[in-house]
Amino acid sequence: MRIAQIAPLHEAVPPKLYGGTERVVSFLTEELTSMGHDVTLFASGDSVTSARLTACWPQALRLDPAIRDPIAPHMLMMEQVARVAEQFDILHFHMDYWPFTYFSRQKTPMLTTMHGRLDLMELQPVFDAFPKVPIVSISNNQRLPLPQAHYVRTVLHGLPEKLLTPQPGPRDYFAFLGRICPEKGVDKAIRIARALNVPLKIAAKIDKVDAEYFEREIVPMLGEGVELIGEINDRQKPAFLSGARALLMPIDWPEPFGLVMIEAMACGTPVVAFRRGSVPEVLEDGLTGLIVNDEHEAITACARLPELQSDRIRERFEQRFTARRMAEDYLDIYRELIEARKTA
């Protein structure tokens, strides 16, 4: 199958450090290529792939200090894809609503995976205007604010099976992984760890928009068993996650998926997460993690962590969240859309 994967330009594919969407695009692209499909990746020029790379901008926009208008490179990307669209059997966009106007009117079947939150008021009229564009959600909960969208399926994310694996050694701290911002709840993670007298290691990025929040709210909480490591890459994650008693995820927003949950599971590490967004779809309470409603419940629930078995957590990851399973799910959708276009 001739497949185009179209990724955002904000990060390389895969990203050097943080970047959930681009990592998933990379995992999917590599898995489809390994399965024998002819895949072209439209992404930034510093991307690394075994597929054919069409570089739509020299480097990831986040790493280019000269970029002041990130819309312009993405507009150029849309034109580059449009000029060669008929060379593909399917166009798979990871660009939110960017492709809706033109690509819903051309001949090559297309779909868009929505990777972000959908509870934004301004999205309502956009999806009202495009009721037939095929959409893939990354959790069922993500769909709730936009029931009018044309969802063809929910496809849960997956990781390469051997990318992150359990490492030997003691599990003697709590881990926080991802991004420091109000909705991710790092302040709550600190309070939970301190209440239980367990060290907390924070491996996270800080976006410019959240720098003031970090300085005002988080910096005063550091020290006394709370260590800020900074951003880490995939090579560093197995040791970081395998050394943790649990990954803390006290989120305060409708998390569309939460890749860090399955990263922890791949390392046999349980997740203690607030019941928000996709969490009940990804975690199995009492098996791969503990689902709680607030800080108090989290503190109490952690007494159950010794009941959760690392090898069983890893087993459930292999059964539910591999990149191969994700790729097979998407191939089913591609075939359905291609066949539907033939009979239209």
Side-chain angles (χ1 to χ4, degrees):
M1 192 182 300
R2 298 169 301 168
I3 304 168
Q5 296 289 337
I6 303 99
L9 297 172
H10 301 292
E11 303 280 355
V13 177
K16 303 297 186 290
L17 294 168
Y18 185 87
T21 297
E22 292 83 2
R23 293 182 70 227
V24 171
V25 174
S26 177
F27 300 153
L28 176 60
T29 297
E30 298 308 302
E31 199 67 33
L32 290 169
T33 302
S34 73
M35 296 169 74
H37 297 281
D38 183 2
V39 185
T40 298
L41 173 64
F42 293 82
S44 63
D46 51 349
S47 298
V48 178
T49 179
S50 57
R52 184 182 301 106
L53 175 64
T54 296
C56 299
W57 199 256
Q59 66 175 336
L61 302 185
R62 185 163 80 98
L63 303 178
D64 188 345
I67 292 295
R68 292 192 293 176
D69 179 5
I71 294 177
H74 286 99
M75 181 64 74
L76 177 63
M77 170 187 268
M78 292 295 102
E79 178 60 21
Q80 290 173 302
V81 176
R83 291 180 180 181
V84 297
E86 292 188 0
Q87 298 177 13
F88 297 97
D89 298 312
I90 192 80
L91 305 173
H92 188 170
F93 291 91
H94 303 269
M95 301 283 302
D96 294 333
Y97 47 77
W98 265 94
F100 288 8
T101 297
Y102 173 74
F103 290 95
S104 65
R105 292 176 167 88
Q106 51 82 56
K107 294 181 180 179
T108 305
M110 58 84 71
L111 72 155
T112 291
T113 296
M114 302 299 295
H115 289 269
R117 64 191 304 170
L118 302 183
D119 61 335
L120 306 177
M121 173 272 296
E122 55 270 31
L123 293 181
Q124 295 291 336
V126 174
F127 282 81
D128 287 343
F130 297 97
K132 296 183 180 180
V133 174
I135 300 296
V136 171
S137 50
I138 58 176
S139 67
N140 290 328
N141 183 273
Q142 184 196 32
R143 298 183 177 198
L144 297 179
L146 285 173
Q148 71 270 42
H150 177 44
Y151 299 106
V152 293
R153 192 172 303 181
T154 289
V155 177
L156 300 176
H157 289 334
L159 306 178
E161 188 171 337
K162 302 301 183 183
L163 178 69
L164 307 177
T165 57
Q167 304 298 304
R171 294 178 176 270
D172 53 10
Y173 56 86
F174 288 144
F176 180 95
L177 177 63
R179 181 163 55 93
I180 293 179
C181 57
E183 61 268 24
K184 295 290 188 177
V186 67
D187 57 327
K188 299 181 183 68
I190 293 172
R191 288 193 291 268
I192 293 167
R194 285 218 168 109
L196 293 166
N197 198 30
V198 176
L200 175 68
K201 295 187 179 183
I202 302 169
K205 70 174 286 191
I206 306 165
D207 286 334
K208 290 181 180 179
V209 68
D210 297 308
E212 182 180 346
Y213 163 78
F214 170 69
E215 292 292 338
R216 184 184 67 249
E217 302 292 338
I218 304 304
V219 169
M221 301 179 75
L222 299 178
E224 298 180 21
V226 178
E227 179 184 1
L228 177 63
I229 296 174
E231 290 187 71
I232 61 174
N233 57 35
D234 285 340
R235 293 187 304 275
Q236 298 166 301
K237 286 178 183 177
F240 175 74
L241 290 169
S242 295
R245 296 184 190 178
L247 176 77
L248 301 185
M249 191 176 161
I251 54 173
D252 189 24
W253 75 303
E255 178 71 66
F257 182 80
L259 203 60
V260 296
M261 288 188 282
I262 66 172
E263 291 177 329
M265 289 170 58
C267 296
T269 301
V271 181
V272 180
F274 282 15
R275 192 184 303 275
R276 307 280 191 277
S278 66
V279 167
E281 296 175 57
V282 177
L283 292 184
E284 296 169 278
D285 187 52
L287 179 58
T288 58
L290 302 171
I291 302 175
V292 300
N293 293 306
D294 53 35
E295 290 179 47
H296 176 73
E297 284 192 16
I299 293 166
T300 303
C302 282
R304 297 170 52 203
L305 284 173
E307 302 171 12
L308 277 57
Q309 301 175 19
S310 178
D311 57 348
R312 188 74 176 106
I313 295 170
R314 171 69 193 187
E315 181 182 14
R316 291 302 287 160
F317 161 78
E318 293 176 359
Q319 292 169 347
R320 300 185 63 206
F321 295 114
T322 64
R324 176 57 59 97
R325 189 274 308 153
M326 175 174 64
E328 290 172 345
D329 286 353
Y330 275 117
L331 284 169
D332 287 343
I333 299 170
Y334 299 163
R335 296 185 185 104
E336 291 171 5
L337 293 174
I338 292 168
E339 189 61 32
R341 181 59 59 93
K342 289 179 181 177
T343 59

